[in-house]
């Protein structure tokens, strides 16, 4: 059976923890999109880890971890991550890399930096991991698939061709040094050596695995609102964050995805620019940021402070719908235990009209939050394992949100650890 674990919001919902937890029952975990631009934080028996490229199932020795064709594969980052976990006594994970995954080239990272520099104050708040230039090249059909590393003559010719195009931009738009094809080629040969033992025809592998009835998890990065089609365009990421894309980014039939577990966070946080209707500021935001997640809401990749906000029912209802949610995992609820009252955004006012439907970007930018305040529970809910044992106001908060978003909350996460979970 194939399940997808995806985010409903702006990312950082706690997908890593949920995937790590569900990996206990999984045989295969597949990353199907995105790259090393976002991170998952995972706390388990080995310690606390920030993963950027590796799937969150690498900590179990019964699982196979797959980098699907939809991923922006940064080969040195992948192997640095493998080394980091192995150095901390995690057994060497079984890893497979799709022969159709495309490679983040060293110049993608440079272009990302140069473009943010050029845009100055109008930048997208990129993490400068090369993701946007990478996906632009993929769809402009000048990207490099992993299998291309194994045909040196053709590779070299293509590098020369691509460098001509890149160098025009480097010289005239960015006023930066040109690419050196010899150097690039040598780097590609290093990449080839690193990746060679893991290269696999992933769609064929998964076809067989599905036939054998294996349990497969598709792990998404970021969330619905960062999807390039259905999110807050253009302040989105460059690959689809939706479960539907899991079929493409892993190479499996769409009808095999039987469960879509959408991770929804009990309050809001976002990184990068873009409309964020329920955003809060000042001391109120600082306190939530300080107490949030596991050790504060700061980017797992960049360390940047995240923007904070109250729970947004409008955005989350939409985020769950567009994912095709079968189950909601409601996370980091324990963090809210300090509040006397908890505001929740239940509608948007746009041009004097109230809506609970998530609008397109132009309208979203004008939206003002309509807040409703729920009573807090003023206690620490970590360690509770039964739903009935949660304080009444806490259950009321969960049930209110479940009704607003219209999808069943079947899991409640009340701490960062694998076992901090309440099933309903
Ligand atoms: P992801 O990208 O969706 O995997 O999310 P991140 O890893 O960036 O952010 C989630 C953060 O919250 C991590 O630091 C997790 O350890 C932490 N976390 C996940 N679930 C919970 C929870 O239920 N309670 C608390 N306190 N922290 C959690």
């Amino acid at each position: 059976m194939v399940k997808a674990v995806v985010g409903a919001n702006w990312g950082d919902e706690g997908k890593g923890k949920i995937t790590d937890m569900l990996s206990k029952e999984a045989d295969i975990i597949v990353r199907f999109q995105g790259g090393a631009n976002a991170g998952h934080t995972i706390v388990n028996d080995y310690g606390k880890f920030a993963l950027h490229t590796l799937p969150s199932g690498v900590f179990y020795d019964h699982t196979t971890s797959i980098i699907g064709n939809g991923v922006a594969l940064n080969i040195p980052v992948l192997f640095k991550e493998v080394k980091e976990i192995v150095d901390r006594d995690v057994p060497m994970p079984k890893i497979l890399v799709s022969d159709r995954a495309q490679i983040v080239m060293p110049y993608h990272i440079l272009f990302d930096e140069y473009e943010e520099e050029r845009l100055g104050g109008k930048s997208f708040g990129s993490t400068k991991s090369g993701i946007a230039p990478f996906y632009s090249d993929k769809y402009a059909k000048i990207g490099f698939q992993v299998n291309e590393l194994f045909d040196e003559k053709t590779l070299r010719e293509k590098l020369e061709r691509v460098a001509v195009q890149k160098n025009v931009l480097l010289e005239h738009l960015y006023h930066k040094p040109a690419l050196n094809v010899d150097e690039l080629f040598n780097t590609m040969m290093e990449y080839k050596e690193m990746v060679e033992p893991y290269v696999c025809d992933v769609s064929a592998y998964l076809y067989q695995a599905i036939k054998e009835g294996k349990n497969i998890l598709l792990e998404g990065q970021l969330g619905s609102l960062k999807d390039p089609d259905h999110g807050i365009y253009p302040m989105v990421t460059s690959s689809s964050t939706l479960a539907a894309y899991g079929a493409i980014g892993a190479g499996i039939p769409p009808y095999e995805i039987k469960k879509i577990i959408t991770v929804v966070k009990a309050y809001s946080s976002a990184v990068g620019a873009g409309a964020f209707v329920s955003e809060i500021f000042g001391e109120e935001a600082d306190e939530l940021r300080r107490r949030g997640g596991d050790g504060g809401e700061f980017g797992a990749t960049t360390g940047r402070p995240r923007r904070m906000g109250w729970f947004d029912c409008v955005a989350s209802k939409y985020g769950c719908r567009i994912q095709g949610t079968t189950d909601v995992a409601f996370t980091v609820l324990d963090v809210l235990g300090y509040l006397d009252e908890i505001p929740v955004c239940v509608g948007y006012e746009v041009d004097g009209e109230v809506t609970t439907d998530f609008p397109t970007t132009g309208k979203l930018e004008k939206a003002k939050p309509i807040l409703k305040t729920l009573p807090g529970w003023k206690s620490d809910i970590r360690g509770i394992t039964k739903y009935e044992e949660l304080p009444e106001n806490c259950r009321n908060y969960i049930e209110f949100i479940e009704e607003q978003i219209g999808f069943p909350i079947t899991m409640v996460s009340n701490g960062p650890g694998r076992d901090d979970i309440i099933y309903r």
Side-chain angles (χ1 to χ4, degrees):
M1 167 143 106
V2 184
K3 296 180 189 169
V5 180
V6 289
N9 308 119
W10 299 263
D12 307 315
E13 297 94 348
K15 295 176 295 296
K17 178 230 158 115
I18 300 295
T19 309
D20 178 64
M21 186 189 94
L22 295 173
S23 296
K24 214 168 164 175
E25 312 285 317
D27 302 300
I28 298 167
I29 298 100
V30 191
R31 281 282 314 266
F32 62 87
Q33 47 96 209
N37 52 333
H40 291 305
T41 314
I42 294 162
V43 184
N44 57 32
D45 302 342
Y46 295 105
K48 183 171 175 175
F49 296 86
L51 298 182
H52 306 289
T53 293
L54 282 174
S56 303
V58 288
F59 300 102
Y60 293 97
D61 50 18
H62 67 274
T63 57
T64 299
S65 298
I66 296 187
I67 307 291
N69 56 275
V71 169
L73 173 63
N74 184 321
I75 293 176
V77 167
L78 173 67
F79 290 98
K80 187 168 152 262
E81 243 166 65
V82 172
K83 185 171 180 308
E84 273 167 13
I85 65 166
V86 173
D87 284 351
R88 287 172 63 189
D89 298 329
V90 178
M92 178 64 195
K94 284 195 276 312
I95 296 172
L96 298 174
V97 175
S98 166
D99 54 2
R100 291 176 181 273
Q102 292 205 8
I103 302 163
V104 175
M105 303 294 277
Y107 53 80
H108 288 143
I109 296 163
L110 293 177
F111 273 93
D112 216 346
E113 286 170 13
Y114 298 161
E115 181 63 8
E116 287 283 298
E117 205 177 297
R118 189 181 73 86
L119 291 171
K122 292 204 156 50
S123 80
F124 289 82
S126 161
T127 58
K128 304 187 184 117
S129 314
I131 302 303
F134 166 92
Y135 282 106
S136 309
D137 279 3
K138 175 172 174 174
Y139 294 107
K141 296 170 285 190
I142 52 170
F144 291 84
Q145 292 188 333
V146 164
N147 63 77
E148 291 178 73
L149 295 172
F150 299 90
D151 180 347
E152 294 181 20
K153 186 164 168 287
T154 318
L155 174 68
R156 176 144 200 134
E157 284 165 10
K158 184 166 160 188
L159 282 171
E160 272 164 15
R161 250 185 302 128
V162 172
V164 171
Q165 199 175 338
K166 298 291 169 200
N167 284 341
V168 174
L169 289 172
L170 286 170
E171 188 185 341
H172 297 287
L173 184 63
Y174 297 116
H175 313 291
K176 299 285 183 185
L179 299 178
N180 177 324
V181 175
D182 288 330
E183 222 173 83
L184 262 180
F185 182 78
N186 291 339
T187 305
M188 290 307 109
M189 290 302 101
E190 286 168 23
Y191 286 7
K192 181 179 106 174
E193 227 161 87
M194 287 187 227
V195 80
E196 191 160 15
Y198 309 102
V199 178
C200 172
D201 180 346
V202 164
S203 71
Y205 180 90
L206 291 175
Y207 179 76
Q208 197 56 35
I210 289 171
K211 254 200 199 163
E212 288 165 11
K214 294 271 196 307
N215 283 323
I216 301 170
L217 283 183
L218 305 177
E219 178 178 24
Q221 185 211 35
L222 295 166
S224 302
L225 307 174
K226 292 282 186 181
D227 183 75
D229 283 85
H230 296 282
I232 53 172
Y233 190 85
M235 299 303 181
V236 292
T237 194
S238 304
S239 65
S240 175
T241 55
L242 303 182
Y245 188 74
I248 296 162
I252 62 167
Y255 56 76
E256 293 293 352
I257 305 175
K258 304 293 185 204
K259 261 188 187 288
I260 297 175
I261 298 157
T262 304
V263 185
V264 176
K265 182 147 126 171
Y267 53 88
S268 301
S269 74
V271 288
F276 182 6
V277 178
S278 67
E279 186 166 14
I280 54 174
F281 303 91
E283 180 46 38
E284 201 178 35
D286 289 343
E287 174 147 42
L288 184 56
R289 183 179 303 110
R290 228 177 12 251
R291 292 173 176 268
D294 179 34
E297 291 283 357
F298 299 90
T301 302
T302 57
R304 288 190 294 198
R306 292 177 181 150
R307 297 164 68 193
M308 306 302 299
W310 300 125
F311 187 83
D312 184 334
C313 298
V314 179
S316 300
K317 177 177 80 164
Y318 173 76
C320 286
R321 169 166 70 76
I322 213 77
Q323 287 290 6
T325 303
T326 60
D327 293 75
V328 171
F330 195 54
T331 58
V332 284
L333 185 60
D334 50 303
V335 162
L336 300 180
Y338 73 98
L339 291 158
D340 295 322
E341 294 187 317
I342 313 176
V344 174
C345 174
V346 293
Y348 292 172
E349 193 192 311
V350 183
D351 295 331
E353 278 184 41
V354 174
T355 180
T356 61
D357 292 327
F358 194 73
T360 49
T361 308
K363 286 188 176 154
L364 185 68
E365 269 156 9
K366 292 192 272 180
K368 300 210 171 34
I370 296 171
L371 297 174
K372 179 182 162 80
T373 303
L374 301 180
W377 47 92
K378 297 293 284 178
S379 64
D380 185 3
I381 59 164
R382 282 207 197 179
I384 294 177
T385 55
K386 289 199 186 71
Y387 188 70
E388 311 76 63
E389 283 166 18
L390 287 171
E392 193 185 351
N393 284 346
C394 182
R395 278 181 280 128
N396 287 342
Y397 186 78
I398 296 166
E399 286 160 30
F400 177 79
I401 282 169
E402 181 175 57
E403 201 191 313
Q404 293 284 312
I405 62 179
F407 293 91
I409 297 177
T410 59
M411 286 165 256
V412 175
S413 173
N414 59 340
R418 264 179 193 170
D419 303 319
D420 299 322
I421 195 81
I422 301 168
Y423 290 97
R424 276 175 87 205

